[in-house]
Each structure stands twice: as structure tokens, then as C-alpha cells.
């Protein structure tokens, strides 16, 4: 664990890149006063960042950055291009840009491709997986439908297009409860995340029956290998050692929906990555949040530490998503160099069958309609 206590106000990178020089880039990086960015980090990476930003501007590339990106990668995206799964899907649906680099894992980039099939959607590393998406496919959705005929299937966006294509509606952590409540009937099938399903079941108690893999059946489901690492005992220990008593108005413990149910119950607030950020922003602006721990991927906390320097954060550096971590400055630079040279982009481009795109679009669009 490490503690970060920012002391100065930070605006984040301003990415206007007209005639941007290497010195400008360095200055912006130093001006971030990021608690975990050292002199060495900045000097070692400024040149690559300068080149990426120059090429991004030259080719009018939209660069979407998930909240789990490490700070130097996250800072390549404009503020409007950063966000959680839902926010990035919404952005992908409306962008006019021809090229879209998605700094996240491939299932996220697939969603962008489905919503913007005419665009070229590129990812730094097509081999980056996700323990939820990788362990659940179209056949698993069909098995659940056979077990609960007639019940609508709500699928977490952390899934691949073929599984989405078999489902009725998608959801993210930011809208799951709202969407489930508005579906017809008294039962909803939720796949594939078992902890998420259990958390939703608790949230909808008395309103809607939630069925999911492993609940009174032997169907296959999955959990997030990152969030499952947080236990109730960890949270209790963090409360004690970092002095965040339950119900304290200025100190808060946060958890992501993918955590275990007892972890969620222990948290003072739970939500999607952006909802957690929003609550922190509101708490800072309100009574003035002084201390926080976020039970989620550790780079989310790194980015929060920059955004909210007055808050003291603890982060579990070992709780890193190895899939998200495959997105690096070097790989992003390689994509842009290939684009600049007019080289083949196949190694980076997300492609899907036209039929899969057609069938997966409806559940995603239904989710977006219900999230306006
Ligand atoms: P968000 O939808 O909250 O951004 O989460 C995505 C994810 O992969 C969490 O592990
Ligand atoms: Fe998948 Fe978990 Fe990584 Fe998110 S944090 S991409 S759910 S493995």
C-alpha cells in the first residue's frame, strides 16, 4: 500500500497541440504535480508523449481513455475523451472522427466499433483480455435462456460482441439497477458477472428477481479477477489502519460494483468508476473530503490523486488489471506511426462480422436510450 497526499491544485493536461513543442509537453507534465509522476518518469517519456500528441492532432484521432489507464496514458485523452465504460460508449456513438484509438481492453473497443462500424477503431494490444469477457460466450447466454425461458437477458458490457448479440440489453455499473427495474416481467437474467449479479439482487430486493449463473443452477459465469481480490477483512483492516471510520463525513471508503457483496456492504459508496469520481468531486466541493480508499483497479486511484490533490488516498498498488496494463505509450506510438506512414493497421484494428455487429448493436443501443 502507498499513501498519496497531493498538495497543489492540478488542472490535468491541456491537450491543445497546435505547434506543441517538447518543452511545452515537459512543462505540462511538471505542471500536473502528479503525486506519483517523478522527474525520471517525465524526462523518460516526454519525447514519446510529444510524438503521440503531434500525430494524434495531425490525423485528427479521437483517443478514448478508460479511467483505469495509467496517468501518462490517461493524460493523452482530452477530458471529454476520458471516462467509464458507459461514458466512452456514449462518446463512441457520436464521434465524427475517422480514427478512434481506444485505450482500454478490446471488449470496450468492440462496443465502439459496433456503434460506429464505418470508423477505424484501433487498440494498442488486441491480446488484452478480461476475466469476465474471456470466460463467457454466446453459448453461455443460450444456456441461461434455456434455463429461464421468456426472461429478458441483461448482459454486462464486459463481454464480447457474440455474447451481446444473444442478449436483450446491455448495462454497465452506472446504469444496471435502473435498466433492470424498467425491464418487463418479474425476473431478469443477469450475465456474466456473479458478484455484480449478487449486488444487483440485493439492490433490487422485493422489486425484481435476479437470476444468474451459479444461482440454483450449474451454468457458467465469471468474476473480475481484479475486484475479487478485495475481501471484507481487507476493508475492515483499511478502515482501522487508515482511520476511515464508518459514517465519517470527511473520510470515505469506496467500492466498485464488481466487488464481492460483503465488500460492497462495507463501503460508504459504491458505483462505476465515473460515479466514484463524481461522488469524490461532490464530497470535495461539499464538506471537503480529506481521505479516501477506493476498492478498485489501482490506476483509478492514481488518476483520482491527480484530480483531487487535497484528498489523501491510499492505494493497493498490487491490485492492477494486467489486461488494462498492456496499453502503453510505446504501443500507442506504434499505432500512430503506422497510421502516419500509411502502413497496414490490421494488427491494431478491431474487426467484427457484419452479422455480429447488427445483432450486438440493438442491446447496446437499448442501453444507451435508457441512459440519456
Ligand atoms: P466501469 O464501467 O466502472 O468503467 O468499469 C469497467 C471495468 O472494467 C471495471 O473493472
Ligand atoms: Fe476485466 Fe476486471 Fe480488468 Fe475490468 S478490471 S477489464 S472487469 S479483468
Amino acid at each position: 500500500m502507498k499513501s498519496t497526499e497531493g498538495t497543489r491544485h492540478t488542472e490535468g493536461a491541456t491537450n491543445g497541440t497546435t505547434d506543441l513543442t517538447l518543452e511545452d509537453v515537459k512543462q505540462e507534465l511538471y505542471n500536473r504535480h502528479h503525486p506519483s509522476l517523478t522527474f525520471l518518469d517525465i524526462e523518460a517519456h516526454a519525447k514519446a508523449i510529444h510524438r503521440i500528441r503531434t500525430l494524434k492532432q495531425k490525423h485528427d484521432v479521437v483517443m478514448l481513455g478508460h479511467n483505469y489507464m495509467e496517468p501518462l496514458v490517461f493524460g493523452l485523452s482530452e477530458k471529454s475523451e476520458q471516462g467509464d465504460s458507459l461514458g466512452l460508449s456514449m462518446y463512441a456513438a457520436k464521434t465524427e472522427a475517422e480514427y478512434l484509438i481506444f485505450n482500454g481492453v478490446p471488449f470496450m473497443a468492440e462496443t465502439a466499433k459496433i456503434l460506429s462500424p464505418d470508423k477505424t477503431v484501433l487498440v494498442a494490444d488486441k491480446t488484452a483480455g478480461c476475466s469476465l469477457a474471456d470466460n463467457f460466450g454466446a453459448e453461455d447466454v443460450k444456456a441461461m435462456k434455456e434455463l429461464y425461458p421468456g426472461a429478458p437477458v441483461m448482459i454486462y458490457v464486459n463481454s464480447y460482441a457474440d455474447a451481446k448479440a444473444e442478449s436483450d440489453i446491455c448495462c454497465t455499473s452506472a446504469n444496471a439497477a435502473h435498466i433492470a427495474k424498467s425491464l418487463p416481467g418479474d425476473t431478469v437474467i443477469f450475465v456474466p458477472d456473479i458478484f455484480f449479479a449478487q449486488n444487483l439482487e440485493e439492490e433490487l430486493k422485493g422489486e425484481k428477481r435476479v437470476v444468474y449463473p451459479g444461482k440454483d443452477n450449474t451454468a457458467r459465469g465469471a468474476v473480475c479477477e481484479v475486484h475479487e481480490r478485495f475481501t471484507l477483512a481487507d476493508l475492515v483492516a483499511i478502515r482501522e489502519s487508515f482511520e476511515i471510520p464508518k459514517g465519517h463525513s470527511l473520510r470515505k471508503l469506496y467500492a466498485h460494483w464488481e466487488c464481492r457483496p460483503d465488500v460492497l456492504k462495507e463501503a460508504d459508496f459504491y458505483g462505476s468508476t465515473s460515479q466514484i469520481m463524481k461522488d469524490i468531486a461532490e464530497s470535495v466541493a461539499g464538506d471537503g473530503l480529506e481521505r479516501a480508499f477506493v476498492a478498485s483497479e489501482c490506476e483509478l486511484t492514481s488518476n483520482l490523486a491527480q484530480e483531487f490533490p487535497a484528498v489523501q488516498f491510499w492505494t493497493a498498488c498490487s491490485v492492477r488489471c494486467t489486461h488494462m496494463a498492456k496499453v502503453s505509450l510505446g504501443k500507442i506510438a506504434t499505432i500512430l506511426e503506422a497510421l502516419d506512414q500509411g502502413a497496414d493497421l490490421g494488427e491494431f484494428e478491431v474487426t467484427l462480422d457484419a452479422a455480429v455487429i447488427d445483432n450486438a448493436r440493438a442491446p447496446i443501443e437499448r442501453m444507451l436510450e435508457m441512459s440519456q
Side-chain angles (χ1 to χ4, degrees):
M1 297 261 182
K2 74 178 176 186
S3 165
T4 60
E5 189 168 25
T7 49
R8 285 168 287 193
H9 178 69
T10 310
E11 289 299 332
T14 48
N15 287 351
T17 49
T18 316
D19 296 330
L20 187 77
T21 67
L22 178 57
E23 274 319 301
D24 294 334
V25 168
K26 280 190 191 177
Q27 207 44 58
E28 282 181 15
L29 290 170
Y30 283 115
N31 287 347
R32 284 198 207 176
H33 303 297
H34 193 292
S36 64
L37 271 189
T38 65
F39 164 81
L40 274 182
D41 289 322
I42 292 174
E43 292 300 323
H45 299 295
K47 217 170 151 190
I49 291 171
H50 177 242
R51 181 74 181 147
I52 289 170
R53 288 175 53 183
T54 304
L55 292 177
K56 177 180 186 273
Q57 184 189 39
K58 180 177 170 190
H59 295 285
D60 205 12
V61 171
V62 159
M63 195 172 288
L64 298 179
H66 186 263
N67 292 329
Y68 289 164
M69 290 298 103
E70 57 151 294
L72 289 177
V73 171
F74 197 56
L76 296 172
S77 299
E78 304 287 342
K79 274 249 175 272
S80 60
E81 298 170 335
Q82 299 171 341
D84 64 2
S85 305
L86 178 63
L88 296 179
S89 303
M90 287 171 144
Y91 195 107
K94 63 174 203 276
T95 182
E96 298 281 315
E98 185 182 348
Y99 294 103
L100 227 151
I101 296 182
F102 205 122
N103 293 334
V105 286
F107 76 75
M108 295 179 168
E110 278 191 358
T111 303
K113 180 69 188 174
I114 292 162
L115 291 169
S116 301
D118 300 333
K119 309 258 183 296
T120 303
V121 178
L122 304 156
V123 278
D125 195 325
K126 279 204 217 174
T127 71
C130 165
S131 65
L132 289 169
D134 293 349
N135 291 305
F136 194 84
E139 290 309 312
D140 298 303
V141 182
K142 285 184 196 159
M144 286 299 288
K145 286 202 278 199
E146 270 171 35
L147 284 170
Y148 306 97
V153 181
M154 184 161 115
I155 189 163
Y156 190 26
V157 284
N158 292 33
S159 52
Y160 292 117
D162 62 329
K164 289 187 174 92
E166 285 296 328
S167 306
D168 296 300
I169 191 160
C170 292
C171 73
T172 74
S173 317
N175 56 24
H178 169 68
I179 289 178
K181 281 184 204 171
S182 42
L183 292 176
D186 62 358
T187 302
V188 57
I189 300 172
F190 181 89
V191 291
D193 187 332
I194 296 169
F195 292 151
F196 195 133
Q198 291 167 345
N199 293 326
L200 188 64
E201 188 177 27
E202 182 66 26
E203 182 98 3
L204 300 182
K205 226 179 206 165
E207 287 185 70
K208 183 82 81 178
R209 177 172 165 242
V210 182
V211 291
Y212 49 89
K215 184 183 164 74
D216 306 324
N217 62 54
T218 54
R220 190 161 79 134
V223 295
C224 166
E225 66 190 20
V226 177
H227 291 88
E228 80 167 322
R229 284 161 63 187
F230 291 105
T231 66
L232 177 60
D234 291 337
L235 262 73
V236 170
I238 288 161
R239 276 207 189 281
E240 275 172 30
S241 49
F242 196 31
E243 296 178 19
I244 305 183
K246 220 170 186 158
H248 194 290
S249 60
L250 306 179
R251 299 177 182 191
K252 277 190 177 180
L253 221 158
Y254 291 84
H256 192 273
W257 268 92
E258 289 167 15
C259 289
R260 297 165 190 277
D262 55 359
V263 166
L264 232 73
K265 273 193 201 125
E266 180 62 27
D268 298 307
F269 180 96
Y270 57 86
S272 75
T273 54
S274 287
Q275 287 172 333
I276 290 171
M277 285 175 140
K278 185 167 173 274
D279 187 83
I280 290 177
E282 286 170 0
S283 303
V284 168
D287 291 341
L289 187 70
E290 62 183 26
R291 192 171 287 189
F293 179 86
V294 183
S296 189
E297 213 276 353
C298 68
E299 297 295 15
L300 172 62
T301 302
S302 306
N303 294 321
L304 285 164
Q306 171 169 314
E307 184 90 20
F308 303 105
V311 181
Q312 189 186 19
F313 289 98
W314 260 15
T315 169
C317 301
S318 60
V319 186
R320 181 85 179 93
C321 174
T322 53
H323 310 291
M324 291 278 187
K326 284 186 171 173
V327 183
S328 65
L329 291 176
K331 290 179 193 169
I332 295 165
T334 306
I335 302 178
L336 286 163
E337 293 295 355
L339 180 60
D340 196 47
Q341 287 155 24
D344 181 21
L345 296 171
E347 190 187 332
F348 319 103
E349 186 170 358
V350 175
T351 51
L352 290 166
D353 282 352
V356 173
I357 290 187
D358 279 350
N359 293 331
R361 188 184 301 127
I364 298 171
E365 284 183 346
R366 276 185 210 119
M367 168 185 80
L368 294 180
E369 274 161 28
M370 298 187 74
S371 310
Q372 300 306 323

